[in-house]
Amino acid sequence: SSEQNTIVPLRLEANIVAELEESLVLCYTGSNHDSGSIHRDQKQQHETDDAVAAAAKQKEVTREIRHHLLRGQLLECGRLIDEAWHAKRRLSPLISSAELDAIYDLAKANGAVGGKLLGAGGGGYFIFFVRPFHRYPLIAALEQKGLSCSRIAFEENGLRTWKSRMAARVRGPSRP
């Protein structure tokens, strides 16, 4: 059915992963968001022709990104991420705002090739794609506006959890 998503792991060469890590900047927008209300609004808008076209565009762009990632054509991926962001913004007026658009425009003016909000939108984190040598000027421009930026490193093994074998200390340090 069309309501199911299939997850296919990407087997990328180590040098592609390394270059991708150097090309991505995570930026906290400073504003939280209510993903529930955004998802509800998207669902209501989903029936409109514009929303159906936007969703189809997102799917197509995702396939193209995968194609370019596997070939190490990262600049094309950055351009497609920009395209995907514009398609996502059409899904609901709650996904972006004047403040978020200003952050995006600032990033684009300072070297970002593309970017998108992570999750439902409305706030939280932007991820920006930038040519590696333009990364530090981009971070400097965003931080000058009071935004917090960080690097991205991929974890090959995914999330790991464990239980400590050491007993928790309940009292403070013992005195001599």
Side-chain angles (χ1 to χ4, degrees), residues 7-65:
I7 298 169
V8 181
L10 287 177
R11 307 273 183 241
L12 298 177
E13 293 174 24
N15 62 332
I16 294 173
V17 173
E19 187 177 350
L20 189 57
E21 286 178 340
E22 293 299 312
S23 303
L24 296 173
V25 171
L26 193 63
C27 174
Y28 181 57
T29 63
S31 59
N32 292 317
H33 61 284
D34 176 4
S35 61
S37 67
I38 295 168
H39 285 136
R40 283 189 294 278
D41 186 61
Q42 279 185 28
K43 198 169 188 172
Q44 286 174 356
Q45 307 263 348
H46 188 72
E47 301 308 313
T48 67
D49 289 345
D50 193 42
V52 170
K57 180 67 177 169
Q58 278 190 304
K59 230 174 185 175
E60 177 196 325
V61 167
T62 302
R63 277 193 285 272
E64 287 180 46
I65 288 172

Side-chain angles (χ1 to χ4, degrees), residues 21-156:
E21 286 178 340
E22 293 299 312
S23 303
L24 296 173
V25 171
L26 193 63
C27 174
Y28 181 57
T29 63
S31 59
N32 292 317
H33 61 284
D34 176 4
S35 61
S37 67
I38 295 168
H39 285 136
R40 283 189 294 278
D41 186 61
Q42 279 185 28
K43 198 169 188 172
Q44 286 174 356
Q45 307 263 348
H46 188 72
E47 301 308 313
T48 67
D49 289 345
D50 193 42
V52 170
K57 180 67 177 169
Q58 278 190 304
K59 230 174 185 175
E60 177 196 325
V61 167
T62 302
R63 277 193 285 272
E64 287 180 46
I65 288 172
R66 179 180 183 277
H67 170 87
H68 291 297
L69 258 181
L70 289 168
R71 285 155 186 77
Q73 298 162 337
L74 299 184
L75 195 56
E76 278 307 306
C77 292
R79 292 187 180 120
L80 286 164
I81 290 167
D82 180 59
E83 214 176 291
W85 168 241
H86 291 296
K88 180 173 179 157
R89 284 180 75 248
R90 287 180 27 214
L91 293 176
S92 164
L94 302 179
I95 286 173
S96 196
S97 65
E99 185 185 327
L100 294 170
D101 287 344
I103 293 170
Y104 194 85
D105 292 344
L106 175 70
K108 290 282 299 250
N110 285 277
V113 176
K116 69 181 292 300
L117 278 170
L118 300 179
Y125 287 86
F126 262 116
I127 188 167
F128 291 114
F129 182 94
V130 62
R131 289 175 175 92
F133 294 108
H134 296 163
R135 177 191 190 165
Y136 290 107
L138 170 63
I139 290 171
L142 292 167
E143 288 183 343
Q144 195 174 356
K145 290 288 183 189
L147 299 163
S148 172
C149 295
S150 55
R151 302 180 59 151
I152 287 180
F154 295 106
E155 172 52 55
E156 199 175 306

